[in-house]
Amino acid sequence: MSAKHAVVIGAGVVGACTAIYLQRDGFRVTLIDKGAPGEGASLGNAGCFNASSVTPASMPGMLSQVPRWLLDPMGPLTIRWQYLPVIAPWLWRFVRAGRPERVAQIAAALRPMVGPTVGMHRELARAAGIEHLIHHVGHLHAYRSDEGFAKDAAAMALRQSQGVKIDELDFDELRQLEPDLDRGFIRARLISENGHCGDPLKLTVGYVEHVKRHGGTFRRALATGFKFDGAKATAVYTDQGDIAGDVFVVTGGAWSRKLAAALGDDVPLDTERGYHVVIKDPEVRPRTPTMSFEGKFVVTPMDMGLRAAGTAEFAGLEAPPNWARAEILVKQVQAMYPKLARDLPAERISRWMGFRPSMPDSLPVVCPASRTPNAFFAFGHGHVGLISAPMTGRLITDLIVGKTPTIDPTPYAATRFR
Ligand SMILES: Cc1cc2nc3c(=O)[nH]c(=O)nc-3n(C[C@H](O)[C@H](O)[C@H](O)COP(=O)(O)OP(=O)(O)OC[C@H]3O[C@@H](n4cnc5c(N)ncnc54)[C@H](O)[C@@H]3O)c2cc1C
């Protein structure tokens, strides 16, 4: 009997991991993408494999800080006001997800998804011959004031409630670990179970190459809808012709909403756009990815330089980037590492904007389509898609083949907002 053919729509890190697990379970896999593999959100993220990322974007007490953030041009959150009417229902659900009892449930649902990230990525990367991209040196949360340290206590307690071990570092201990960090950072918390990636684009490309080496196919095509025979999907329509398959998985990141609708599910997926800057040949080489609590951005040492990533911008998928957001990151990273050159020449800085695929409750959608028995969803991972990709790939494969999944899929149902 010939192998079943799985068509995976979207070759970001989630689609690539999904393709690997499907192949391991005997499927013939075609991965399709409107662009080159890995060039969506998976290209430019902060590279953090944070097993501790159980804190949803909407947290209790956050609402009171939002007006200040929105009014501050240097602030971590911004909204294009023309987009407000479009995103208002999403924002309402986002606010509701920040209720304390819901936050505890979300954290419990995220931990099995994110917890095994370092080990799973290491195993996949080893199989793909790119293990050198996986680092396991922990993650620092650094604070410029005791007030900031205290404000972050609730989020840290939430992580601890999920079994995350957190070490507190005083001024001297922080200097010993990261001597180049600005002396204005007076304390930190270190989460040792976390890891990071030396180059997120190379990771996804490496995974896709691995799929190809094992008989999979990559096709560059824009998926526009599905052909059906009764309830079952038989092919995906693309601008390069129809691609037939036995099973279809939507892994289109922030662009998945229309494809999910074509399969019968209306999901409240939107995007939190984020920015990064990379400073090449940096004068400093910090060892540990470090989150500035006050700045709400992360600096990660990567193979191509020092990457500072963060900010959330509600402006949808069409509006052009606001590069002033990236300029702010340059200034912030210079303030964080004073030994970095002040007058960085243009060729030493690269800027990027990308689309986090964000659900209002910070939980992904990993489930069967409710009306199409041979179609499945794996998208909506928001801030934690790199971290969650291996477990998502494994879970969706288990659901497709009908194996008992290793983690409970219930919290990731597309229907949870009905
Ligand atoms: C600034 C920033 C920092 C971040 N930092 C981290 C971090 O440190 N750790 C972490 O875990 N996450 C982080 N994230 C989030 C993470 O990058 C995303 O959650 C993750 O990349 C999503 O992966 P994906 O494969 O679902 O989506 P994507 O990488 O966006 O891939 C989706 C792919 O689908 C393709 N596609 C979409 N629609 C179609 C269609 N109709 N036809 C064909 N192809 C289609 C797209 O071209 C794209 O390549 C960050 C994000 C940003 C913006």
Side-chain angles (χ1 to χ4, degrees), residues 184-248:
F185 287 95
I186 58 168
R187 9 186 358 181
R189 291 180 170 103
L190 174 66
I191 304 184
S192 300
E193 69 175 284
N194 293 339
H196 71 278
C197 181
D199 188 327
L201 174 63
K202 284 194 178 146
L203 185 80
T204 302
V205 170
Y207 287 164
V208 172
E209 288 303 316
H210 175 75
V211 170
K212 284 161 63 181
R213 276 195 300 274
H214 286 76
T217 308
F218 173 75
R219 287 191 57 185
R220 195 158 174 162
L222 171 73
T224 53
F226 296 89
K227 187 173 177 178
F228 292 91
D229 179 6
K232 273 182 77 177
T234 56
V236 51
Y237 295 131
T238 81
D239 61 352
Q240 306 297 314
D242 302 356
I243 300 174
D246 300 302
V247 167
F248 299 86

Side-chain angles (χ1 to χ4, degrees), residues 180 277-286 299 305-308 329-344 348:
D180 291 327
V277 293
V278 174
I279 298 177
K280 289 168 211 154
D281 307 319
E283 289 79 3
V284 294
R285 200 69 192 158
V299 177
L306 207 55
R307 179 175 291 184
L329 283 170
V330 175
K331 294 206 171 54
Q332 284 178 317
V333 74
Q334 285 172 321
M336 192 157 167
Y337 296 99
K339 285 188 193 152
L340 276 177
R342 301 291 95 180
D343 49 352
L344 284 163
R348 279 187 55 200

Side-chain angles (χ1 to χ4, degrees), residues 9-15 32-35 40-42 45-48 221-223 251-253 255 259 274-275 309-310 352 354 356-357 381-387:
I9 306 160
V13 69
V14 173
I32 72 173
D33 201 295
K34 59 189 167 75
S42 301
N45 54 58
C48 300
L222 171 73
T251 55
W255 298 270
L259 292 173
Y275 292 79
W352 171 88
R356 294 184 189 91
H381 296 78
H383 294 245
V384 296
L386 175 72
I387 303 167

